Amino acid sequence: FRGGVDVNFSAGSTIAATGGITVHQAGTKLHLDGTTTWSAGDWSIFDSGIVENAGTLNITGNVNKVFDGLFHNLSTGTINRTTSSGGAQIEGLDNDGTVSVQTGTLSLSNGAPSQCDGDYTVSASATLRFNNSGTSTLGPAASIAGAGTVKFDDAQTVALNAAATYSPATTFVSGGSLGLAGTGSTTALTSDGEGGKDRDEHGDHPA
């Protein structure tokens, strides 16, 4: 998709994405308002291209969204990771809806382009991973919760507003940083010795 086109898949539509998708050039937008199943192929978004999800996006393959174009999960949007093995990665996700990691691993890399006010849930035996560099700022309406593992990897910083909720079962710090302006809870806090910190208003705490 290129050339400033606006492609809209309306509510009720069903999309099976089994190959690569490219969205680029200013004014080019792919809007998903139905049910999309992404099973294979990478999505390349760059040069001011935009992908918006307002419906349900089921990520069943070990796939990647790459480059620096905007991938926006709108307030009505849900992204489900539903594969039991392997991992998928979305670079620069702006989440104002719901991200649900039900099985396997979903990596959110290189931070978020703007404040995220959505929910992140991770089921038992699944992993939500914030990795690579950059910063993800989670606003007052945001939450991270679930019976699974949230991993802060590489050099990414995740900063939560004081009103945001943080309550996953397991927190794994491996080079990344978690910043809590308010309070949070986790049943298990672990590290693999790769550095990283959990931070609150009282300062840094080595993991």
Side-chain angles (χ1 to χ4, degrees):
F1 303 96
R2 58 179 295 180
V5 297
D6 192 342
V7 180
N8 181 39
F9 289 91
S10 60
S13 62
T14 301
I15 305 166
T18 60
I21 292 177
T22 298
V23 181
H24 72 109
Q25 292 186 344
T28 304
K29 180 189 297 184
L30 174 61
H31 181 87
L32 308 173
D33 206 5
T35 299
T36 303
T37 300
W38 183 9
S39 61
D42 291 345
W43 291 11
S44 301
I45 309 170
F46 60 98
D47 193 21
S48 300
I50 298 172
V51 171
E52 292 179 339
N53 177 55
T56 300
L57 173 60
N58 298 312
I59 303 177
T60 61
N62 296 328
V63 294
N64 300 281
K65 176 268 173 182
V66 294
F67 302 123
D68 59 357
L70 179 62
F71 193 132
H72 191 187
N73 191 42
L74 301 175
S75 60
T76 59
T78 297
I79 297 175
N80 297 314
R81 169 62 176 165
T82 59
T83 296
S84 60
S85 62
Q89 179 166 280
I90 299 176
E91 182 177 339
L93 176 67
D94 185 356
N95 176 42
D96 290 318
T98 298
V99 171
S100 176
V101 189
Q102 300 172 12
T103 52
T105 298
L106 178 63
S107 297
L108 304 180
S109 67
N110 292 339
S114 61
Q115 177 175 287
C116 298
D117 287 301
D119 298 323
Y120 304 78
T121 63
V122 54
S123 300
S125 300
T127 299
L128 171 64
R129 179 176 177 240
F130 294 91
N131 67 308
N132 289 349
S133 58
T135 298
S136 291
T137 301
L138 274 59
S143 67
I144 300 178
T149 298
V150 179
K151 185 175 183 180
F152 301 93
D153 211 351
D154 303 326
Q156 186 174 161
T157 295
V158 179
L160 276 74
N161 182 277
T165 302
Y166 184 83
S167 59
T170 302
T171 300
F172 189 175
V173 182
S174 177
S177 296
L178 167 64
L180 294 173
T183 60
S185 65
T186 190
T187 304
L189 174 63
T190 62
S191 175
D192 60 4
E194 293 296 324
K197 302 174 181 178
D198 67 289
R199 303 182 299 177
D200 59 24
E201 68 274 17
H202 303 296
D204 294 342
H205 307 282

